[in-house]
Amino acid sequence: PLTLDYEILLQVINKTDFAPQEKDGTAIGSALGLAIRRLSQSEAKSKVIILLTDGVNNRGFIDPLTAAGIAQTFGVRVYTIGVGTIGVAPYPVQTPFGIQYQNVPVQIDEELMQNISKMTDGIYFRATDNKKLKAIYKEIDALEKTKIEVTEYKRYSEEFKSATFVAALLILLELIFRYTVFRNNP
């Protein structure tokens, strides 16, 4: 479920298994459909999806533009981000001698990403490095400001009782010693 508990969110992300699948591919439409399904029940004023991809749609059962139309129907804004260098990039390939890197062309269907964003009143971005990606997230954050109410519960444990008991016991001991062992005889 949607959450503001970022510590739990980071724990879930760290536990996620990103093991390679049998076949490589990018299912943009399916990913978008799943995200829309999760947001369709939300009562939030602003429903936003950030679609981050490094490839072209070559897997899945839902056409990305069909998914964008569904997002538009539910009032979900989609910001799309194409990630990757322009030109070629090293890609790991399994060989008989282990994993080796080969330069392959970076293919991002920017036209599709732009169409998805345009249909849903979002914006398309291109990130060629980590610094640019960070700047894009800051820009999206500035565009999407919504006030939300958060209810926090705090559990207090009163510790003064034990400290008061110890203080009273010490005062009692002081009085006993003053009038018995350490009393002043004139």
Side-chain angles (χ1 to χ4, degrees):
L2 299 175
T3 182
L4 291 175
D5 191 344
Y6 299 118
E7 188 174 317
I8 294 292
L9 184 61
L10 289 174
Q11 288 176 10
V12 169
I13 289 171
N14 288 334
K15 289 181 182 177
T16 303
D17 181 19
F18 291 103
Q21 301 300 313
E22 289 179 21
K23 291 191 174 190
D24 217 5
T26 303
I28 294 171
S30 296
L32 195 52
L34 180 62
I36 294 164
R37 188 179 78 186
R38 296 293 299 262
L39 285 174
S40 66
Q41 304 297 323
S42 174
E43 295 177 14
K45 291 179 186 177
S46 178
K47 299 176 187 177
V48 175
I49 295 172
I50 298 175
L51 178 61
L52 182 75
T53 183
D54 65 346
V56 295
N57 186 64
N58 56 10
R59 292 265 179 251
F61 303 104
I62 301 173
D63 177 63
L65 292 178
T66 302
I70 296 168
Q72 185 181 30
T73 302
F74 283 106
V76 177
R77 183 176 293 118
V78 181
Y79 292 100
T80 56
I81 306 173
V83 177
T85 60
I86 297 173
V88 295
Y91 185 79
V93 177
Q94 182 67 42
T95 67
F97 305 107
I99 295 177
Q100 296 188 355
Y101 288 88
Q102 295 178 354
N103 283 334
V104 296
V106 176
Q107 296 176 338
I108 298 174
D109 192 346
E110 292 188 275
E111 184 178 340
L112 175 66
M113 298 293 106
Q114 290 168 352
N115 287 337
I116 291 170
S117 290
K118 191 175 187 180
M119 285 177 69
T120 61
D121 295 326
I123 301 172
Y124 170 72
F125 299 94
R126 179 68 190 259
T128 54
D129 58 27
N130 289 343
K131 191 175 181 182
K132 178 70 175 162
L133 183 60
K134 197 175 220 179
I136 290 169
Y137 278 123
K138 281 186 180 181
E139 187 174 339
I140 293 172
D141 186 47
L143 291 170
E144 293 294 333
K145 292 290 182 186
T146 302
K147 290 190 179 203
I148 59 170
E149 287 185 30
V150 177
T151 304
E152 290 185 6
Y153 297 98
K154 295 184 180 181
R155 180 173 288 171
Y156 292 99
S157 175
E158 301 293 347
E159 301 294 331
F160 77 93
K161 291 180 183 176
S162 58
T164 304
F165 178 73
V166 170
L169 183 62
L170 290 174
I171 291 171
L172 182 62
L173 285 173
E174 190 268 334
L175 289 173
I176 291 172
F177 285 134
R178 178 188 290 174
Y179 294 111
T180 58
V181 178
F182 300 112
R183 80 173 181 205
N184 291 334
N185 287 334

